[in-house]
């Protein structure tokens, strides 16, 4: 099956710093990628839709200036959590879709201290 | 808008059969999917139903009834490794983004 690679898998950062998370589709081109956030024992909440070559579409309540998304190529989307705070600590997961199937990255466990 | 309901927890024993139900409300329907997620891992695709009926893939089957806005995931011959969270998901308007249910945590006991 298709592979989506996400990096890093874990990151610990100080409050006020920024963290960049990369999501790559390894064997197919993805004009659209999706970024989710997941709290323990909860569902995947869609944060934004990343569109290659254009602006991302953010879900209601998600601050676009805090969660910067760049989708500069057909195989790479990045999510930057700017000026991170402890409440941003979470599990972030990206996905790319081929047909009706979504392929997810391994997820990034972000801890802001 | 879209919403999905599924049980929060299910417990079963090895070798048993378990059914996880999912009811949904959508404006437009573009198929029901099921994903498995082990603790700390990424969700993985299990099945997709666009039409009514049963789809079988090995030990896992998925059923859809569009008239009832209902589907289920059936897991047979349960194994310990099946302990995970299972999410149903539907497409949003015009077949766009995936909307996930809250997830069902399945615990398989010896």
């Amino acid at each position: 099956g298709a592979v989506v690679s996400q990096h890093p898998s874990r990151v610990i950062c100080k409050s006020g710093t920024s963290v960049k998370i990369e999501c790559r589709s390894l064997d197919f081109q993805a004009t659209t990628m999706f970024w989710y956030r997941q709290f323990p024992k909860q569902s995947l909440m869609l944060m934004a839709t990343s569109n290659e070559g254009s602006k991302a579409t953010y879900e209601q309540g998600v601050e676009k200036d805090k969660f910067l998304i760049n989708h500069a190529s057909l195989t790479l989307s990045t999510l930057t959590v700017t000026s991170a705070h402890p409440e941003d600590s979470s599990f972030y997961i990206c996905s790319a879709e081929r047909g009706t199937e979504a392929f997810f990255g391994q997820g990034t466990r972000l801890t802001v201290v | 808008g879209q919403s999905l309901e599924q049980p929060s927890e299910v417990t079963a024993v090895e070798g048993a059969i378990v059914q996880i139900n999912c009811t949904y409300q959508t404006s437009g329907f573009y198929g029901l999917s099921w994903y498995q997620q082990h603790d700390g891992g990424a969700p993985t695709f299990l099945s997709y139903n666009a039409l009514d009926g049963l789809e079988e893939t090995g030990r896992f089957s998925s059923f859809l009834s569009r008239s009832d806005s209902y589907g289920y995931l059936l897991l047979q011959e349960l194994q310990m490794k099946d302990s995970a969270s299972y999410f149903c998901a539907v497409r949003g308007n015009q077949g766009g983004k995936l909307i996930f249910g809250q997830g069902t945590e399945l615990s398989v006991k010896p």
Side-chain angles (χ1 to χ4, degrees), chain A residues 55-113:
Chain A
K55 291 182 180 180
T57 305
Y58 290 83
E59 294 301 300
Q60 192 173 5
V62 177
E63 297 177 59
K64 62 180 181 180
D65 294 328
K66 178 161 191 65
F67 299 100
L68 298 179
I69 290 173
N70 184 279
H71 194 153
S73 78
L74 288 171
T75 59
L76 174 65
S77 175
T78 61
L79 168 68
T80 302
V81 183
T82 62
S83 186
H85 291 285
E87 58 265 30
D88 299 323
S89 298
S90 189
F91 192 54
Y92 294 87
I93 313 176
C94 68
S95 77
E97 298 183 358
R98 188 168 66 185
T100 56
E101 186 172 342
F103 299 92
F104 288 86
Q106 302 94 319
T108 298
R109 175 78 57 194
L110 171 63
T111 303
V112 185
V113 297

Side-chain angles (χ1 to χ4, degrees), chain A residues 1-6 24-28 96 98 103-106:
Chain A
V3 178
V4 172
S5 178
Q6 186 174 341
R24 295 180 185 271
S25 59
L26 298 183
D27 56 359
F28 69 102
R98 188 168 66 185
F103 299 92
F104 288 86
Q106 302 94 319

